[in-house]
Amino acid sequence: RRSEKPNWDYHAEIQAFSHRLHENFSLDLLKTAFINSCYIESEEARRRELGLDKETVALNLQDNSKLAEEGMSFSRSYLTQCFEGAYPDLPAEGLGALVDFLTSQELVSYVAQNLSVQDLTLCKEFPVPPNVLQRTFFAVIGALLDSSGPEKTGIFVRDFFIPQLIGKDLFEIWKVVNPMGLLVEELTKRNISPPEPRITRQLGVSTVLPLYFVGLYCDKKIIAEGPGETLLAAEEEAARVALRKLYGYTENRRPWDYSKPKQGLAAEKAISRN
Amino acid sequence: PAGAGGPPPRQFVEEAALDFARRHPDVVLYVSPRSGRAPLLVAEYLNGTVREELIASKTSEEIAQLATKLAGQSGLDIIRIRKPFHTDNPSVQGQWHPLTNKPSALTVRGPRLQPQ
């Protein structure tokens, strides 16, 4: 554990942490954010074993569960609003799947470890398990929310979570069981006739590795074309390509716009919190 | 840790270390005496990599420059960069595969259509 190696000054490290992120944290909130409940229990047990009095046993420390919930709910709502603005056609399940992926344990613990949150957390076990890291990171976000306000926290969340989506495909994140059914629903919502699949190209039909390109046509106009090994696989892939085009999540879409902070969100947040 | 070596590391610790720490508020500088070992500048990065540099035979300004260089690096390994560019959207109109631009009825042989 880094805190047990030589050269460790907790207060200085916490100050450096806040300077590194170019954010003004209130140091008490930040210190509370790093304290987990298992640490408090283990510290009290250790002090009781050493035979100290009851007063010194009771530590005056609060743990980070409240801050963690605040941070988690804020980041989820902020990310949902971001995606609603950027991909207006995406249905609610897709949005939920994207936000769940971004707040999942592996991703958040990866981000937290590379920001040295693991060295600063106070926890019983080492190496820190990923759910504790996730809770600590959200507690840090909650502390930032209370120190600097929703706008700066929103920029922080955007800068650290949205680049994790680069290079990822929509259906890697959102597992869809029946893309053809979903596509038919989407097309009926937009009053377009249901798709007709036709084989566009095929190669090597009688070999071990055939390749079929199936195109989906609505009113005799093509909407998407997808490859596959068997005819069924090709049809499913074509349905997925069509869904990607409809939701605007293709590979050649515009990259995410990080330039201007979103002013509307701050007003909404203020209203919802009051 | 700056060691009890010759004068240059000591001068750095006495004069330039405070300036360095003030200019880089996001880096925590620890100074600890170690006897019997060469003076080392150890840089620990956020992702866990640790870099050690000998500073015994460097002047005070060189140590300051080295410290600023290490403070500006990220913790990724120092390997040869294969290409100085990278893109996440390699194709805008769709990547070429051997069947683009071929007419679509190239190899479709329906069971009822006779080739003419």
Side-chain angles (χ1 to χ4, degrees):
Chain A
R1 224 189 268 216
R2 180 65 186 86
S3 47
E4 286 157 11
K5 290 189 196 167
N7 288 331
W8 180 258
D9 179 8
Y10 195 67
H11 186 75
E13 293 279 345
I14 294 220
Q15 278 181 331
F17 182 75
S18 68
H19 278 289
R20 225 178 278 146
L21 298 173
H22 296 283
E23 306 278 359
N24 288 331
F25 278 99
S26 86
L27 292 176
D28 306 313
L29 278 177
L30 193 52
K31 284 192 183 176
T32 334
F34 283 118
I35 298 173
N36 289 303
S37 46
C38 49
Y39 176 74
I40 298 186
E41 288 158 13
S42 63
E43 271 293 308
E44 288 190 357
R46 202 162 60 91
R47 291 192 184 193
R48 238 177 274 129
E49 275 172 33
L50 290 174
L52 297 171
D53 307 329
K54 280 271 167 151
E55 293 176 0
T56 33
V57 160
L59 293 165
N60 293 335
L61 291 176
Q62 299 167 343
D63 64 353
N64 58 2
S65 41
K66 196 168 74 82
L67 286 173
E69 279 166 28
E70 274 184 24
M72 170 107 111
S73 61
F74 174 80
S75 34
R76 285 186 81 104
S77 58
Y78 180 80
L79 287 172
T80 326
Q81 278 171 353
C82 277
F83 290 134
E84 271 168 13
Y87 307 116
D89 303 319
L90 206 53
E93 310 152 343
L95 280 178
L98 275 179
V99 172
D100 283 335
F101 169 73
L102 283 182
T103 50
S104 64
Q105 275 188 19
E106 310 97 42
L107 202 123
V108 175
S109 55
Y110 172 73
V111 172
Q113 271 183 339
N114 286 63
L115 279 176
S116 81
V117 168
Q118 196 194 41
D119 297 331
L120 292 169
T121 45
L122 301 169
C123 175
K124 192 161 58 164
E125 299 110 23
F126 182 79
V128 187
N131 56 345
V132 179
L133 267 180
Q134 183 192 22
R135 222 161 17 133
T136 321
F137 194 64
F138 281 129
V140 168
I141 297 182
L144 180 60
L145 184 64
D146 287 328
S147 327
S148 321
E151 276 188 18
K152 296 215 82 174
T153 322
I155 299 178
F156 179 85
V157 167
R158 180 195 73 179
D159 285 337
F160 279 103
F161 280 110
I162 301 215
Q164 305 291 329
L165 282 179
I166 294 179
K168 296 256 182 345
D169 184 35
L170 179 63
F171 293 112
E172 281 176 30
I173 306 173
W174 178 24
K175 311 271 182 231
V176 163
V177 176
N178 184 16
M180 197 48 129
L182 194 58
L183 178 65
V184 169
E185 280 178 28
E186 288 289 324
L187 291 177
T188 42
K189 267 191 237 169
R190 289 154 218 247
N191 288 332
I192 310 177
S193 59
E196 288 183 31
R198 294 258 187 262
I199 304 179
T200 349
R201 304 158 209 274
Q202 56 182 27
L203 276 188
V205 176
S206 50
T207 58
V208 177
L209 296 172
L211 174 66
Y212 295 99
F213 270 81
V214 165
L216 293 175
Y217 289 85
C218 294
D219 291 332
K220 317 251 171 66
K221 285 205 202 109
I222 191 161
I223 48 170
E225 192 187 15
E229 273 211 1
T230 61
L231 282 169
L232 286 175
E235 197 182 318
E236 199 185 309
E237 186 57 39
R240 281 176 203 266
V241 172
L243 282 171
R244 271 184 217 129
K245 277 195 195 164
L246 282 177
Y247 297 147
Y249 209 94
T250 51
E251 257 194 32
N252 55 357
R253 64 184 184 274
R254 273 203 103 122
W256 192 272
D257 179 26
Y258 292 96
S259 52
K260 56 174 171 33
K262 314 203 173 188
Q263 285 98 5
L265 284 174
E268 279 182 59
K269 286 300 328 166
I271 295 170
S272 63
R273 282 188 92 187
N274 291 340
Chain B
R10 240 174 229 263
Q11 275 175 8
F12 169 74
V13 169
E14 284 167 8
E15 297 156 17
L18 261 187
D19 296 329
F20 171 78
R22 248 181 230 128
R23 263 177 293 137
H24 297 267
D26 51 347
V27 173
V28 185
L29 181 67
Y30 296 106
V31 174
S32 63
R34 291 185 322 163
S35 56
R37 309 243 181 93
L40 279 184
L41 185 61
V42 180
E44 291 184 17
Y45 293 102
L46 288 182
N47 61 352
T49 33
V50 175
R51 257 191 91 178
E52 296 175 348
E53 307 268 337
L54 287 176
I55 51 174
S57 54
K58 296 201 165 82
T59 61
S60 171
E61 294 91 22
E62 281 179 15
I63 301 178
Q65 277 173 8
L66 180 67
T68 13
K69 176 187 105 161
L70 289 176
Q73 284 179 342
S74 83
L76 302 168
D77 306 328
I78 301 180
I79 48 175
R80 175 176 70 99
I81 305 181
R82 287 202 188 118
K83 28 181 149 164
F85 39 82
H86 167 78
T87 172
D88 290 309
N89 305 320
S91 86
V92 174
Q93 295 181 6
Q95 232 179 8
W96 185 89
H97 52 84
L99 289 173
T100 34
N101 299 332
K102 292 252 160 65
S104 96
L106 178 67
T107 45
V108 174
R109 252 183 287 123
R112 278 168 264 147
L113 282 179
Q114 303 294 328
Q116 287 163 359

